[in-house]
Amino acid sequence: QSVLTQPPSVSEAPRQRVTISCSGSSSNIGNNAVNWFLQLPGKAPKLLIYYDDLLTSGVSDRFSGSKSGTSASLAISGLQSEDEGDYYCAAWDDSLNGVVFGGGTKLTVL
Amino acid sequence: QVQLQESGPGLVKPSQTLSLTCTVSGGSISSGYYYWNWIRRHPGKGLEWIGCIRYSGTTYYNPSLKSRVTISVDTSENQFSLRLTSVTAADTAVYYCARDASSVGVPAGGMDVWGPGTTVTVSS
């Protein structure tokens, strides 16, 4: 059971928009930065969004992040087949004194 | 451009100690406000943060693994290492080292540089 809660899977058609949620608590998302990663099969994770809504250099601006209270979201617009993969949120947790990850969300582009 | 590379045995026997090293190239492990992390992914599961270290030696560990984990740094070799004791089959995973460029005093969880990962299997 992950400290940060993500939906196990989402799916959407090409060229559409999808959002992935990440729910936490006041000790993590509510008080610290949220980061988003994409992991493709057989590859290392890649940082997409850091400090809630900052886009990593070189990452498409079709990706965006937002946060409200103890929840965060990753939005992907203009979906492409290459966006398929596992998405993770992560944040520092003040109570656990460590980094916590969400359980991951598998994105399927129909 | 900073690059990371994990190295170590791919097979470890149950009850023994898993030891991995991450070599940093293209930059100094001692520069900047960086935390150097170990993260793993079990087969068919999600990412799990193991712990991290700064060049000064400050460490943070996952509470669930803390009793078995030691992360150390060798600034002269530009490397940091992971030791995980008393391993079981549950420690079979792909292990990654990664850099977290935090500017807030504690790790931020935004790892911007990753090694390719190394598979470690625990089996007799």
Side-chain angles (χ1 to χ4, degrees):
Chain A
Q1 199 79 346
S2 301
V3 174
L4 303 182
T5 301
Q6 298 179 234
S9 63
V10 295
S11 60
E12 186 53 88
R15 298 179 297 280
Q16 299 304 306
R17 183 178 186 271
V18 70
T19 61
I20 298 172
S21 61
C22 177
S23 178
S25 67
S26 58
S27 66
N28 42 66
I29 293 178
N31 197 42
N32 297 296
V34 178
N35 310 281
W36 289 93
F37 301 87
L38 165 60
Q39 186 170 31
L40 300 175
K43 300 291 188 180
K46 172 185 176 181
L47 181 65
L48 300 174
I49 299 289
Y50 62 102
Y51 289 143
D52 299 341
D53 58 9
L54 299 182
L55 190 66
T56 297
S57 176
V59 173
S60 170
D61 60 5
R62 296 185 297 105
F63 294 88
S64 62
S66 63
K67 186 173 81 174
S68 178
T70 59
S71 292
S73 292
L74 174 72
I76 312 169
S77 61
L79 275 173
Q80 302 175 4
S81 58
E82 66 203 52
D83 298 331
E84 286 196 333
D86 295 324
Y87 290 81
Y88 295 91
C89 57
W92 177 259
D93 190 292
D94 296 325
S95 295
L96 296 175
N97 222 30
V99 174
V100 290
F101 280 96
T105 298
K106 184 175 186 62
L107 170 64
T108 300
V109 180
L110 300 171
Chain B
Q1 166 180 353
V2 174
Q3 293 183 310
L4 307 181
Q5 180 67 55
E6 306 89 352
S7 59
L11 180 64
V12 182
K13 288 182 168 50
S15 80
Q16 294 193 343
T17 296
L18 180 161
S19 295
L20 297 175
T21 296
C22 182
T23 300
V24 180
S25 60
S28 172
I29 202 170
S30 304
S31 66
Y33 296 97
Y34 298 125
Y35 284 95
W36 304 94
N37 293 258
W38 287 99
I39 295 140
R40 67 183 182 180
R41 183 172 184 179
H42 296 97
K45 296 190 177 181
L47 298 172
E48 179 182 32
W49 180 76
I50 299 171
C52 65
I53 190 167
R54 287 192 70 176
Y55 75 92
S56 59
T58 299
T59 53
Y60 295 93
Y61 296 125
N62 185 325
S64 69
L65 298 170
K66 190 172 185 176
S67 63
R68 299 194 293 130
V69 172
T70 302
I71 297 176
S72 58
V73 65
D74 186 338
T75 55
S76 65
E77 295 290 334
N78 228 31
Q79 296 175 333
F80 63 106
S81 299
L82 168 70
R83 289 184 75 249
L84 181 65
T85 61
S86 304
V87 298
T88 69
D91 295 307
T92 293
V94 178
Y95 286 75
Y96 299 96
C97 57
R99 184 185 79 172
D100 181 348
S102 171
S103 61
V104 295
V106 293
M111 298 82 173
D112 63 339
V113 181
W114 292 70
T118 187
T119 299
V120 177
T121 301
V122 178
S123 176
S124 55

